[in-house]
Amino acid sequence: MALKPPPQRYEATDATVKPESTAAERYRPERERVGNALCLSGGGFRATVFHLGALRRLNETGVLAKLDTISSVSGGSIMAAMLATHAPWPAAATAPIPADVWERDVAAPVRRFASRNLRTPAIVRRLLRPWNTSAGARGLMAGYAARLSRAKLAALPDRPRFVFCATDLCYGVNFVFERSRVGDYRLGYLSPPPADWDVARAVAASSCFPPVFNPLPLDVPAASFKRAREAIADADVRLSDGGLYDNLGLEPVWKTHRAVLVSDGGAVFGSASDGGLLTRIGRYVDIVDNQALALRKRWLISNFLDGTMDGAYWGIGSATGNYAKGGFGYSKELATQVIATVRTDLDAFSTAEMAVLENHGYALAAAAVTTHLGDLAAPGAPTATPPHPEWTDEERVRGALANSWKRKLLGRW
């Protein structure tokens, strides 16, 4: 007797999928890939300053001026916000920003911002208002508004398109803040965003990492979002750190762009001995997170290799020796043992920490551009030189960053 085929099953959330659609039809990009995107990962101030170095080299080589989209998460969103609101747009979208202007308007403000403790005042605000579950996240938002930018989302440049990523805890998907819209495909979108929504709100939602900060409430009725996949009118939608869903910031661009560049300042996953029940619970979560991240990386690199898209990936645990055309840079041992272990935090970073992180991001981006992005780089770019040559000696770096991995209860000031 012939066996009946099992019934076909489809995801209830994918209302646009027809039962007869093939796998290729379901997962193939909906339109031809076009444009160049840069993704700035999460990782606290460590990632912020690492990305600053990478962006410096992308600017020098003319790659920054050719970007159509910049997608960011958490610490990467801090850097993206600084770039979006301090760089001289729209001129920067057509030609490299002069070195002196870059240093004055972008690099120096980033270093000033990362040299002060942001997270402890926000945590204190939460402790002083225990009845207000969002006090910590709102404290972050206030800190960003006061020290980062008071610009509204509507003031973001037309090009490149800046996308700040948070996580929608209600629907479990990526939530975006952009100049023209906010929302996600399951909740729906508000287009344009509320007039009073600012860049500080976007960065706060993108970086309110748990369990230190509770999620940020939406502050507008869920029913006001349009074109929802499956919205619940009275849903209590709250937003948390974008890294919960996608710490690389790939989600807004991976299906649509011809070239994708990824700067990854996130933590490098390491081995750990069993430390009992409490540490084991944390380890379970870390392993799940790491596997999701590893799958995204493998998918990304495989797409580069098979020609699906162009681009490059550089991570904080990498070394320029990993590239065919590497150039100067720190050793793999220093990168993995010291630089990649710098704390993921929003407390005050020292001059040495920032100099080393900026050097490292710069060197890796320089190697990636030379090896993989020759078509994007402008001819006649200046020779790659460390932003902080006084911090190239590895023994000096090891000494200065020996305790940078440690987190302090009240943070550094």
Side-chain angles (χ1 to χ4, degrees):
M1 182 177 66
L3 296 176
K4 292 183 179 180
Q8 290 181 307
R9 299 180 63 187
Y10 302 94
E11 298 178 17
T13 60
D14 198 349
T16 64
V17 175
K18 298 179 179 179
E20 66 272 15
S21 64
T22 66
E25 290 170 333
R26 293 183 64 181
Y27 296 107
R28 183 184 294 124
E30 296 177 358
R31 58 184 182 273
E32 183 179 355
R33 293 180 178 278
V34 62
N36 308 311
L38 171 65
C39 301
L40 302 176
S41 80
F45 283 166
R46 178 188 65 209
T48 300
V49 185
F50 176 77
H51 299 324
L52 172 63
L55 282 163
R56 177 187 287 269
R57 187 54 185 168
L58 295 182
N59 176 63
E60 289 177 350
T61 56
V63 174
L64 178 61
K66 295 181 180 180
L67 294 177
D68 298 286
T69 304
I70 297 178
S71 174
S72 61
V73 180
S74 197
S77 289
I78 297 172
M79 182 63 244
M82 193 71 77
L83 182 67
T85 61
H86 286 68
W89 308 106
T94 59
I97 302 169
D100 60 332
V101 177
W102 177 271
E103 179 62 29
R104 183 192 68 215
D105 294 347
V106 179
V110 170
R111 294 189 210 109
R112 284 196 300 270
F113 186 84
S115 68
R116 295 174 57 189
N117 188 323
L118 179 70
R119 59 98 160 161
T120 304
I123 294 174
V124 170
R125 179 170 175 164
R126 171 186 173 182
L127 295 176
L128 293 176
R129 302 178 183 181
W131 63 88
N132 185 347
T133 58
S134 64
R138 294 192 188 281
L140 268 184
M141 188 162 64
Y144 289 134
R147 293 167 43 199
L148 180 60
S149 175
R150 295 188 181 276
K152 305 301 182 186
L153 290 174
L156 290 171
D158 288 321
R159 181 180 177 275
R161 164 186 162 226
F162 283 86
V163 185
F164 300 92
C165 300
T167 299
D168 176 343
L169 291 182
C170 179
Y171 295 105
V173 295
N174 193 65
F175 184 103
V176 299
F177 293 81
E178 303 179 35
R179 182 179 188 271
S180 61
R181 66 173 187 169
V182 294
D184 59 64
Y185 79 95
R186 294 184 68 182
L187 170 67
Y189 296 91
L190 280 178
S191 181
D196 62 339
W197 279 25
D198 53 17
V199 173
R201 176 185 292 270
V203 180
S206 183
S207 62
C208 56
F209 53 92
V212 178
F213 299 105
N214 287 330
L216 186 68
L218 198 57
D219 290 336
V220 295
S224 60
F225 286 73
K226 308 302 181 184
R227 294 182 290 114
R229 179 70 59 85
E230 54 173 296
I232 303 171
D234 58 350
D236 182 14
V237 178
R238 292 173 182 263
L239 306 177
S240 191
D241 191 294
L244 292 176
Y245 186 81
D246 171 18
N247 199 50
L248 294 181
L250 277 167
E251 191 65 21
V253 302
W254 70 275
K255 283 186 177 182
T256 55
H257 286 65
R258 180 186 63 82
V260 176
L261 289 60
V262 178
S263 182
D264 184 7
V268 174
F269 189 77
S271 59
S273 299
D274 188 83
L277 177 60
L278 292 179
T279 57
R280 198 177 303 140
I281 291 173
R283 188 66 174 175
Y284 295 150
V285 175
D286 289 343
I287 290 173
V288 173
D289 288 346
N290 181 65
Q291 281 304 297
L293 181 64
L295 286 172
R296 287 186 183 274
K297 289 181 183 178
R298 291 170 190 163
W299 167 86
L300 180 71
I301 301 302
S302 68
N303 274 235
F304 292 157
L305 294 175
D306 69 14
T308 300
M309 66 175 72
D310 296 326
Y313 167 92
W314 56 90
I316 198 167
S318 304
T320 54
N322 297 128
Y323 294 84
K325 301 176 181 178
F328 79 92
Y330 298 117
S331 67
K332 179 69 172 179
E333 291 74 20
L334 188 75
T336 56
Q337 296 171 10
V338 179
I339 303 175
T341 64
V342 172
R343 65 198 177 281
T344 302
D345 211 334
L346 298 177
D347 64 355
F349 273 47
S350 69
T351 299
E353 289 168 338
M354 290 189 287
V356 172
L357 287 165
E358 190 175 351
N359 276 353
H360 192 40
Y362 180 94
L364 290 174
V369 169
T370 303
T371 304
H372 300 296
L373 304 173
D375 292 342
L376 283 180
T383 301
T385 55
H388 306 280
E390 71 276 16
W391 285 104
T392 55
D393 180 82
E394 297 205 357
E395 286 305 311
R396 187 185 183 202
V397 170
R398 282 184 179 274
L401 273 60
N403 295 313
S404 293
W405 60 273
K406 294 182 179 179
R407 290 188 179 89
K408 297 183 178 181
L409 180 61
L410 296 179
R412 292 166 169 82
W413 295 84

